[in-house]
Amino acid sequence: GARFVHVVYCFARYVMIEDMRKLSVGTGIPFAEAVKRRPKDMYVAKARHRVAYNKLLQILQREDFVMQEYGKKAR
């Protein structure tokens, strides 16, 4: 349900941030400050968040549908 999708989204975001942190080592980019910085336009930031969240939800729903179809055909 919605709670599971939220947990998966939070986990995916955490993994992405950790990956970016590892990739930014030695580049001279202060990663901690870049992540904690607040965007100038919060409306755009919230809209991007909603788009990413909805895209993840669509992907998970499509994957669930495909798995159910495979299950039906396997019987």
Side-chain angles (χ1 to χ4, degrees):
R3 199 181 250 171
F4 175 74
V5 171
H6 181 71
V7 168
V8 171
Y9 176 78
C10 289
F11 178 70
R13 185 176 184 271
Y14 171 77
V15 170
M16 182 190 69
I17 288 173
E18 288 300 314
D19 190 44
M20 287 171 50
R21 180 178 289 141
K22 289 177 186 175
L23 291 175
S24 69
V25 171
T27 60
I29 300 170
F31 183 80
E33 290 138 12
V35 170
K36 293 179 182 177
R37 186 174 294 158
R38 299 203 40 99
K40 293 179 184 176
D41 190 356
M42 284 304 292
Y43 177 78
V44 173
K46 287 180 181 179
R48 286 181 180 162
H49 175 266
R50 282 192 305 271
V51 168
Y53 188 82
N54 288 335
K55 186 67 175 173
L56 176 65
L57 180 62
Q58 289 173 356
I59 290 169
L60 291 174
Q61 287 174 337
R62 190 177 322 130
E63 183 178 332
D64 182 52
F65 176 76
V66 168
M67 295 302 288
Q68 286 179 6
E69 288 297 313
Y70 279 139
K72 289 178 185 175
K73 290 180 182 179
R75 289 186 219 159

